[in-house]
Amino acid sequence: MEEMTEKNLKDAFAGESQAHMKYMSFADQAAREKLANVARFFRAASYSEQMHATNHLRALSGVGKTGQNLEAALGGETFEITTMYPEYVALAGQQGEKKAQDSMEDALAAEKVHAAIYTRAKEAVAGGKDVELGKVWVCEHCGYTMEGEPPDRCPVCNTPKNRFREF
Ligand SMILES: [Fe+2]
Ligand SMILES: [Fe+2]
């Protein structure tokens, strides 16, 4: 692909991905303010931006076979665990940015679980099989991810068990 078009498409992918997430958060806020139609339209627009992001990623040949995708996912998580979040968390701590530090520490805890399961999945798929996987739970508050049965409270943010979503 031509270099400038590739860069534009990558930027558009990043922008649309962020709009998708922002509109989901804005929809939740509108719902809390009892503005049902505003919430509904934020959800519709969010879904539309998700389609744009997905199509841009496909145009960038960013979706491969699952073996490659697991490799890409593991690469991203590994960077976040070993480099990005430790550096960002340390700096936020030094600068006294408590909210940023907490949010990034919470993400780091979940990324470690993601990386471990991606590693298992990558090995299974390389061997021609699906991965053995129990029930997966994600904390609705902090995103902590776990396999098996959820504990009474989230080990990261202390949210009670009934606020874990099963996958
Ligand atoms: Fe992750
Ligand atoms: Fe949590």
Side-chain angles (χ1 to χ4, degrees):
M1 184 179 288
E2 291 286 347
E3 200 178 313
M4 272 190 71
T5 293
E6 184 178 1
K7 187 192 174 296
N8 290 345
L9 204 45
K10 282 183 179 167
D11 289 351
F13 171 63
E16 298 284 9
S17 301
Q18 290 184 29
H20 163 64
M21 280 312 307
K22 270 188 197 164
Y23 294 169
M24 286 298 286
S25 301
F26 291 172
D28 291 345
Q29 179 60 33
R32 278 194 287 272
E33 293 177 27
K34 310 267 184 259
L35 299 167
N37 285 339
V38 177
R40 185 164 58 87
F41 191 71
F42 269 135
R43 287 191 208 290
S46 172
Y47 184 63
S48 168
E49 309 303 14
Q50 183 185 355
M51 297 308 113
H52 299 157
T54 301
N55 293 338
H56 294 344
L57 185 62
R58 288 191 183 279
L60 284 159
S61 304
V63 182
K65 297 272 286 175
T66 296
Q68 293 169 277
N69 296 340
L70 285 165
E71 188 87 51
L74 182 59
E77 301 283 5
T78 303
F79 168 69
E80 289 175 0
I81 293 165
T82 60
T83 308
M84 189 184 92
Y85 279 134
E87 288 176 5
Y88 289 3
V89 166
L91 183 66
Q94 282 165 25
Q95 296 188 327
E97 297 283 3
K98 185 80 176 86
K99 267 195 209 168
Q101 186 182 359
D102 287 351
S103 170
M104 293 192 288
E105 271 173 353
D106 288 1
L108 176 56
E111 309 306 9
K112 289 177 182 170
V113 180
H114 301 173
I117 295 178
Y118 282 146
T119 301
R120 268 167 48 202
K122 190 166 85 89
E123 284 162 9
V125 170
K129 291 181 304 205
D130 196 359
V131 66
E132 303 256 356
L133 187 67
K135 288 179 181 172
V136 175
W137 302 89
V138 177
C139 172
E140 286 181 2
H141 179 68
C142 80
Y144 188 67
T145 307
M146 54 190 321
E147 186 183 358
E149 289 303 322
D152 284 340
R153 289 187 166 269
C154 175
V156 171
C157 75
N158 214 33
T159 288
K161 178 156 106 173
N162 62 3
R163 295 210 35 222
F164 272 68
R165 192 189 296 187
E166 184 186 341
F167 289 84

